[in-house]
Amino acid sequence: MKRIKCVVAYDGTFFNGFQIQPKGRTVQAEIEGGLQKLHKGQEIKIFASGRTDALVHAKGQVIHFDTPLQIQMERWQNALQTVLPSDISVLDLCEVEPKFHARFDVISKEYRYYVQKGRKLDVFMRNFRCFYPYQLSVEKMRQAANQVVGTHDFTSFSSAKTDKEDKVRTIYSFDIVENSDVIEFKIVGDGFLRNMVRILVGTILEVGRGKRDPNEISQIIKSNDRETAGPTAPGQGLFLWKVNYDN
Amino acid sequence: MKRIKCVVAYDGTFFNGFQIQPKGRTVQAEIEGGLQKLHKGQEIKIFASGRTDALVHAKGQVIHFDTPLQIQMERWQNALQTVLPSDISVLDLCEVEPKFHARFDVISKEYRYYVQKGRKLDVFMRNFRCFYPYQLSVEKMRQAANQVVGTHDFTSFSSAKTDKEDKVRTIYSFDIVENSDVIEFKIVGDGFLRNMVRILVGTILEVGRGKRDPNEISQIIKSNDRETAGPTAPGQGLFLWKVNYDN
């Protein structure tokens, strides 16, 4: 039995999220279905660094699974790709120690969120950006984002549906980069609660357009009340960018 | 009655081409359907600079239509956008002289074709690029492209299905730009036959990977025989980029 670590990218547009659901197409079901084909009908369970919601994309999601197959390691990536649909891409694949775990061993994760600038959404980017047709102050958004960095209880910035008891997380960096047609939010932390990045972005966009003061962010964090934060930004702007492990 | 000229972009992925077909979703049917809604059921016919095939995209397709509506010109663009699906975007709209014609008045057109470099197709670009997993010599492809520039009979580079009698066209420029992960073909001409850009690219890619000599292109043009040219490159890499008029 070998344990395999695998980095996958996926276009979340036509998935009802990562995790297997009673209804809708999921990334997990597609990958497990592909692995089952490779294993001649045997069920192979995969474990991811975490789930992603409907419409959310991944540039570097990490999964692991165990396999009895005797495929040469250099052939594994192609073998797996051939049994996957075109909206999932196998970026990297390697054998790891049997004690490696894609979720429990995560050191940090990076998410990115893309907001289209200006009056019109680029039709080719409509599934990969959030359209927010307001004038935005990047300086004020940066002031707001700076208050997120550090170790905090993020109850205010998590969905009521979250199943985690401990809501304290450490954000290592939260940068906002302005490009010609898009604003990019880059956030790195030791972990993220359900909808956390999207609620952070949704709230900071309200700061950017002048509906909130940048200093409100600290107060929202202290309040431990989801109602004090802004709306959840749409899923299609979000990318799970990179998952880091100690190796 | 006003004549309206309109620039639209569309993601061709989920269209069976521009022109209305018995089967499948088309750009023309979507726009005419939207206009019919705006005109309370009255049928409005649109005229485009030319058709595009299934999967082919447009960054700047131009259409015209006549309307009796008394909408203020600055409101027209939004009014039309609200009755169109999210994969068609109205980029510009203005009133023109009643004698303007989107097809007959074309001075020149630019198409671009995108080929993904390297071993893996970027999952987020899979509908907007052609995947061609061979080492390509850009220098040789440029030598081949240079032979296309000028006035030639392009019978060899057109689909047998073409309905045009006169197959002489003038290509003003044909540039190949190499970027980090993509090769961009930019071609400008006074007109293009059915599948012409895709057969040119399909043939030049065979030059790029060493299957053909760059100088074959002139011989293929002279032969007036479609069989001498290479395959038709896939539709999803092609963009109708810009249509130029005298104005």
Side-chain angles (χ1 to χ4, degrees), chain B:
Chain B
M1 209 65 149
K2 280 177 187 163
R3 180 153 292 189
I4 305 262
K5 175 190 173 190
C6 180
V7 184
V8 293
Y10 46 85
D11 172 351
T13 309
F14 301 104
F15 289 111
N16 190 19
F18 182 87
Q19 194 174 48
I20 286 184
Q21 305 288 337
K23 269 194 178 177
R25 199 171 164 253
T26 65
V27 180
Q28 187 183 0
E30 292 289 340
I31 297 178
E32 290 185 349
L35 285 171
Q36 194 169 3
K37 273 185 210 159
L38 284 185
H39 290 76
K40 304 196 162 72
Q42 187 186 345
E43 280 183 35
I44 302 291
K45 199 166 159 46
I46 64 171
F47 298 85
S49 72
R51 63 183 80 168
T52 51
D53 286 332
L55 304 183
V56 174
H57 315 287
K59 281 286 263 192
Q61 168 71 289
V62 177
I63 61 166
H64 84 257
F65 57 90
D66 293 325
T67 175
L69 286 191
Q70 297 297 330
I71 302 176
Q72 286 178 339
M73 282 316 295
E74 58 270 29
R75 294 202 181 157
W76 247 108
Q77 185 171 339
N78 271 339
L80 182 54
Q81 188 65 67
T82 55
V83 292
L84 293 181
S86 66
D87 48 0
I88 303 179
S89 177
V90 184
L91 297 184
D92 195 24
L93 191 146
C94 62
E95 188 176 352
V96 286
E97 294 291 307
K99 66 181 201 305
F100 172 83
H101 196 289
R103 177 147 66 100
F104 302 141
D105 292 358
V106 172
I107 299 268
S108 67
K109 276 181 175 181
E110 177 171 356
Y111 280 92
R112 297 197 182 178
Y113 195 96
Y114 292 87
V115 175
Q116 172 87 29
K117 277 165 64 179
R119 265 182 356 108
K120 291 280 303 174
L121 182 59
D122 179 340
V123 71
F124 302 104
M125 287 290 125
R126 72 192 184 286
N127 297 323
F128 308 118
R129 292 179 184 170
C130 156
F131 181 46
Y132 199 76
Y134 302 98
Q135 275 287 104
L136 292 169
S137 160
V138 173
E139 201 192 311
K140 283 185 182 171
M141 293 199 290
R142 284 192 184 126
Q143 285 174 40
N146 283 340
Q147 295 166 53
V148 175
V149 176
T151 303
H152 308 286
D153 183 314
F154 282 101
T155 300
S156 298
F157 289 100
S158 74
S159 160
K161 283 189 278 176
T162 194
D163 51 5
K164 304 270 170 46
E165 289 259 323
D166 176 11
K167 290 173 180 158
V168 175
R169 296 291 182 275
T170 299
I171 299 304
Y172 301 119
S173 65
F174 194 171
D175 298 315
I176 301 175
V177 180
E178 187 173 15
N179 297 307
S180 61
D181 61 340
V182 77
I183 295 173
E184 185 182 31
F185 295 77
K186 300 158 81 163
I187 185 165
V188 182
D190 66 351
F192 294 87
L193 300 165
R194 187 97 192 259
N195 286 359
M196 180 169 150
V197 181
R198 288 163 60 189
I199 301 170
L200 282 167
V201 171
T203 309
I204 291 173
L205 285 170
E206 291 193 340
V207 171
R209 64 181 275 211
K211 259 186 89 175
R212 288 174 186 269
D213 188 85
N215 296 315
E216 271 185 50
I217 303 295
S218 297
Q219 297 158 29
I220 296 169
I221 293 175
K222 282 191 201 110
S223 76
N224 283 340
D225 178 2
R226 168 70 184 89
E227 296 298 310
T228 61
T232 307
Q236 79 263 19
L238 183 61
F239 288 72
L240 171 55
W241 200 260
K242 195 165 185 284
V243 186
N244 299 303
Y245 298 90
D246 190 6
N247 53 8

Side-chain angles (χ1 to χ4, degrees), chain A residues 89-158:
Chain A
S89 176
V90 185
L91 299 183
D92 195 26
L93 191 144
C94 61
E95 187 176 353
V96 285
E97 295 292 308
K99 68 180 199 307
F100 172 82
H101 195 288
R103 179 147 66 98
F104 302 141
D105 293 358
V106 172
I107 298 268
S108 68
K109 277 182 173 179
E110 177 172 355
Y111 280 92
R112 297 196 184 179
Y113 195 96
Y114 291 88
V115 175
Q116 173 85 30
K117 277 166 65 178
R119 264 182 356 106
K120 292 280 304 173
L121 181 60
D122 178 340
V123 71
F124 302 104
M125 287 291 126
R126 71 192 184 286
N127 296 323
F128 308 118
R129 291 179 185 171
C130 156
F131 182 44
Y132 199 74
Y134 301 98
Q135 276 287 105
L136 292 169
S137 162
V138 173
E139 202 193 311
K140 282 185 183 171
M141 292 198 293
R142 285 191 183 128
Q143 284 174 41
N146 283 341
Q147 294 164 53
V148 175
V149 176
T151 303
H152 307 286
D153 183 315
F154 282 101
T155 301
S156 299
F157 289 100
S158 74

Side-chain angles (χ1 to χ4, degrees), chain A residues 190-204:
Chain A
D190 64 352
F192 294 87
L193 300 166
R194 188 96 193 261
N195 287 358
M196 182 168 147
V197 181
R198 288 163 61 189
I199 302 171
L200 282 167
V201 170
T203 308
I204 290 172

Side-chain angles (χ1 to χ4, degrees), chain A residues 33-45:
Chain A
L35 285 171
Q36 193 169 3
K37 272 184 209 159
L38 285 186
H39 290 77
K40 304 198 161 73
Q42 185 186 346
E43 280 183 36
I44 302 291
K45 198 166 159 44

